[in-house]
């Protein structure tokens, strides 16, 4: 990419944001921030108990991610955030207007299988339906690209870099 954007890696739980984000950051030569680390403990407890977050839970989390993205403006960075609704992405763009979104998309069965295989994560597979129900894919007027999550992490990252470069040109 010719300009140092902040890339927000978004998508439902299990799409690989935590796997692809660091790979993408390394490829772009910028720092990575794990979006889950911005959640207050109450959010983690709620999700661990199988209860979906509501918007009131999400605002402070999105504001913290937005503040990080704002600090990285002009420097570049990659941060993960489900950013499932347009209003959430708008909230992030309020803090970081030049942020671009990388929407990791995929077949529900593949995502559920990957979620079932991961160890030590607080998000239970039971919340996947609520994630898909909440998801509002990127719209044409939003700066971003969608990349399918089939294949290896390295293949997904290569597709992501290529898509972001096309977006940037």
């Amino acid at each position: 990419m010719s300009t140092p954007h902040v890339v927000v890696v978004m998508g439902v739980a299990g799409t690989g944001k935590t796997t692809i984000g660091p790979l993408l950051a390394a490829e772009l030569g910028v720092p990575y921030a794990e979006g889950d680390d911005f959640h207050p403990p109450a959010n983690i407890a709620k999700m661990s108990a199988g209860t979906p977050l509501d918007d009131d839970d999400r605002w402070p989390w999105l504001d913290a991610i937005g503040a990080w993205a704002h600090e990285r403006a002009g420097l570049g960075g990659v941060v993960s955030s489900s950013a499932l609704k347009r209003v959430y992405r708008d909230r992030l763009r309020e803090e970081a207007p030049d942020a671009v979104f990388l929407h990791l998309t995929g077949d529900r069965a593949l995502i559920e299988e990957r979620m079932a295989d991961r160890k030590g994560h607080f998000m239970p597979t039971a919340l996947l339906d609520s994630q898909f129900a909440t998801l509002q894919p990127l719209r044409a007027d939003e700066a971003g690209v969608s990349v399918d999550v089939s294949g290896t992490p390295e293949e997904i990252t290569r597709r992501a870099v290529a898509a972001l470069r096309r977006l940037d040109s």
Side-chain angles (χ1 to χ4, degrees):
M1 293 170 50
S2 63
T3 57
H5 293 288
V6 172
V7 178
V8 179
V9 181
M10 63 168 281
V12 300
T15 53
K17 296 180 295 290
T18 299
T19 300
I20 302 306
L23 292 172
L24 179 63
E27 184 70 27
L28 298 176
V30 297
Y32 171 72
E34 170 55 51
D36 287 341
D37 293 344
F38 293 90
H39 275 298
N43 284 9
I44 301 291
K46 195 170 183 179
M47 290 183 286
S48 296
T51 304
L53 299 180
D54 60 29
D55 287 351
D56 288 336
D57 298 320
R58 287 189 181 96
W59 299 136
W61 173 65
L62 290 165
D63 291 343
I65 292 170
W68 183 89
H70 177 79
E71 290 173 8
R72 297 298 310 163
L75 302 171
V78 175
V79 62
S80 59
S81 169
S82 54
L84 297 176
K85 287 184 183 180
R86 169 71 184 251
V87 68
Y88 303 158
R89 296 187 297 272
D90 290 344
R91 183 93 171 216
L92 291 170
R93 278 190 292 267
E94 286 175 15
E95 288 293 322
D98 293 332
V100 297
F101 291 84
L102 169 62
H103 182 188
L104 298 178
T105 65
D107 176 73
R108 189 194 186 291
L110 173 64
I111 293 168
E112 185 171 13
E113 178 183 316
R114 288 181 178 173
M115 281 184 80
D117 288 344
R118 66 187 184 179
K119 306 289 184 250
H121 195 277
F122 60 83
M123 178 70 85
T125 305
L127 289 182
L128 191 54
D129 286 335
S130 74
Q131 293 262 301
F132 272 105
T134 302
L135 176 64
Q136 297 171 344
L138 287 173
R139 295 179 53 182
D141 66 333
E142 294 184 88
V145 295
S146 295
V147 173
D148 184 77
V149 296
S150 58
T152 67
E154 294 76 19
E155 291 168 337
I156 299 163
T157 302
R158 280 194 297 275
R159 287 196 303 268
V161 168
L164 289 165
R165 286 199 171 122
R166 284 191 302 274
L167 178 68
D168 204 37
S169 60

